[in-house]
Amino acid sequence: MLGIIGAMDEEVLKIKEHMEQVTVETYAGMEFHRGMLNGKELVVVRSGIGKVNAGICSQILVDKFGVEGIVNTGVAGSLKNEINIGDIVLSSDAVQHDMDATGFGDPHGQIPRMDTFSFKASEKLIELAKECCERVNPDIQVFVGRVLSGDQFISDKEKKQWLVDTFGGYCTEMEGAAIAQAAYLNKVPYLVIRAISDKADGSAGMDYAAFEAKAIEHSVKLLMEMVARL
Ligand code: ADE
């Protein structure tokens, strides 16, 4: 069974609308919706925002539901000029950009005493998502690259540039790398799928809500196709 974590209500709602035989269980104040979608059993949950919510949510998916994989969908800020609003980024790997133990001599992003710098996503899920995205969202671009996560909404040009220079990320958001870490510790495959809602430089302004809605449409479409082909 696959676990799907959505950062926001709107997105989880769209997926839930298409599910059948749904039962709901609540843990840590999070509603886990288990049911069938396109003939496949899955569990969908809104984790809430930020790394701690996302980490807790992932662990519950493993412990209570025994999921065989975790997919995180949501929106993100683009870190590359060629990645436009509405485009999709699939995680090659994920790093927590706000982890800073440089005082110990670790590079930015390195979690001290962990045996990896970044958490690699499942090749199988990347390939499947890429194929599905090209099929159902032919009008947008899909990229595979590093996802940067931190408990910060990035809307500042200088901070954005620092992220690009330090980590070489493709997009930035607030949950993916926490889910990736939980998946790594539990030896469960994962994938982050993010639709670009803004350029992470404060330029979106009043259009943000409209961009976000369009971005969510793309990621939900992709997810539905993916589940059908699992
Ligand atoms: N989610 C969507 N856009 C974001 C940004 N610019 N920073 C962090 N999380 C985001």
Side-chain angles (χ1 to χ4, degrees):
M1 177 164 63
L2 190 70
I4 297 174
I5 299 178
M8 294 178 304
D9 261 337
E10 303 89 291
E11 192 169 39
V12 175
L13 210 77
K14 289 253 159 60
I15 300 165
K16 279 188 323 208
E17 273 171 17
H18 292 91
M19 283 170 71
E20 290 168 336
Q21 303 165 45
V22 179
T23 56
V24 182
E25 293 173 48
T26 303
Y27 302 105
M30 301 170 192
E31 284 183 1
F32 293 79
H33 295 250
R34 181 182 192 149
M36 305 296 288
L37 182 75
N38 287 335
K40 303 278 166 33
E41 192 182 23
L42 46 81
V43 52
V44 180
V45 55
R46 180 186 62 100
S47 61
I49 291 168
K51 294 187 296 158
V52 175
N53 280 328
I56 290 170
C57 189
S58 305
Q59 193 61 49
I60 293 169
L61 282 174
V62 171
D63 289 344
K64 299 281 189 187
F65 297 91
V67 294
E68 293 156 328
I70 302 177
V71 173
N72 170 224
T73 74
V75 291
S78 169
L79 295 176
K80 278 186 179 285
N81 285 340
E82 65 267 35
I83 306 181
N84 298 312
I85 288 165
D87 286 346
I88 296 251
V89 174
L90 308 173
S91 59
S92 56
D93 60 337
V95 174
Q96 293 166 30
H97 68 70
D98 56 353
M99 173 55 69
D100 181 354
T102 51
F104 287 131
D106 285 318
H108 280 284
Q110 174 67 48
I111 300 168
R113 304 187 188 192
M114 275 200 92
D115 59 1
T116 186
F117 173 72
S118 74
F119 303 103
K120 294 211 180 336
S122 154
E123 293 285 344
K124 199 177 133 217
L125 289 174
I126 294 170
E127 280 315 306
L128 177 63
K130 194 158 179 287
E131 228 179 276
C132 292
C133 194
E134 281 159 0
R135 177 180 305 192
V136 297
N137 294 316
D139 47 331
I140 59 161
Q141 306 181 91
V142 56
F143 296 86
V144 180
R146 178 170 285 173
V147 172
L148 304 182
S149 312
D151 289 322
Q152 298 164 1
F153 189 90
I154 307 299
S155 56
D156 172 272
K157 274 196 180 120
E158 264 137 55
K159 178 79 193 197
K160 175 182 176 178
Q161 196 54 49
W162 182 82
L163 291 176
V164 171
D165 295 344
T166 310
F167 301 107
Y170 279 45
C171 71
T172 187
E173 38 83 309
M174 302 173 78
E175 294 85 19
I179 292 164
Q181 183 179 346
Y184 177 79
L185 291 172
N186 288 285
K187 299 186 168 57
V188 168
Y190 89 92
L191 178 67
V192 177
I193 300 173
R194 293 280 172 164
I196 300 303
S197 57
D198 60 275
K199 291 281 196 171
D201 57 4
S203 65
M206 283 169 56
D207 291 332
Y208 182 79
F211 291 155
E212 189 182 87
K214 196 79 199 155
I216 289 172
E217 220 175 275
H218 292 150
S219 55
V220 170
K221 239 162 116 182
L222 160 54
L223 204 74
M224 302 269 300
E225 174 76 4
M226 238 182 115
V227 169
R229 293 182 44 196
L230 267 175

